[in-house]
Amino acid sequence: MKNYLSVFALQIKSTFSKILAVIFMMSAAQLVLFIHILNSGEIVIPNRFTNEEFLSGIEGILQDSRAMSFIFAFGFLLVTVILAVNGCRYTSREDYTLRRLNITEKKAMLTKGIYGVLVYALFIMAEALVMLIICNIYIHFAESHPQIFDGFISNQTVFLAFYRSNIIHSVLPLEDYFKYISTFIALISISFSTAYISYFVRRKKLFLEAFILVPVILINFTSTWTAGFAADVTLIGVSCFILGILITRISKEEQAYDR
């Protein structure tokens, strides 16, 4: 167990500060962008029957702002690149550490995959927290807005926003338990796929199949298509397919090595 913890600590030392920087920049960018949208005066919608203007709902603002989804997608890609590149070329000191720990490469990759799952989980939880902060910023803004509907803001506003907005619902599905399952399976697949990229690179090979999963996951988190049951089934299917390819290729590599 001590050897595994040492490898885990090596992963943290190599990448965690970079990942925290990405999360911080993503969160700050989304908050600044949302505050700018609120202050821009472009979030009122006209009533075609009375010629009055009313404040748009939080889910409408997030849906219309493609930049919010773009920032999330860009942050996700940066985290994926950081995890994928890590270990492609160990420094002599890191390589010596792994040899001294007397841990097999297979076990080191397993530890790296588990670390990736935790990193992606942290990334999504950070996004959920940002979205919760954004909802509360919107509530405080709306309460002082003269063009708000009567009874538009209540103790259910945030709860309803997490169901009505696709991007918020994807990072925190509340009682949509099947989406939790599909997201967890996708995170396992992308984590171990990125972990084993370095495994193949050190053998002068590529594992481009890993990047097939990236756009599928991003669509799941940012697209309106993700609202249905079919989207979760598709995500699970693609994730399991990529994991199957990974296991098959690793098995062939080990058999070739044994000969």
Side-chain angles (χ1 to χ4, degrees), residues 76-90:
F76 186 89
L77 287 173
L78 284 179
V79 169
T80 300
V81 169
I82 291 171
L83 292 175
V85 171
N86 180 42
C88 287
R89 180 171 294 182
Y90 282 124

Side-chain angles (χ1 to χ4, degrees), residues 6-57:
S6 297
V7 174
F8 199 83
L10 182 62
Q11 300 300 322
I12 294 175
K13 183 179 179 181
S14 302
T15 64
F16 197 62
S17 60
K18 300 174 186 176
I19 289 166
L20 285 181
V22 171
I23 292 175
F24 176 79
M25 289 187 293
M26 178 193 72
S27 303
Q30 287 183 321
L31 289 172
V32 170
L33 175 63
F34 185 74
I35 293 173
H36 171 73
I37 292 172
L38 289 182
N39 295 326
S40 66
E42 299 178 357
I43 58 173
V44 291
I45 53 178
N47 188 321
R48 58 182 178 178
F49 300 107
T50 63
N51 293 323
E52 294 180 292
E53 291 185 334
F54 295 97
L55 189 66
S56 176

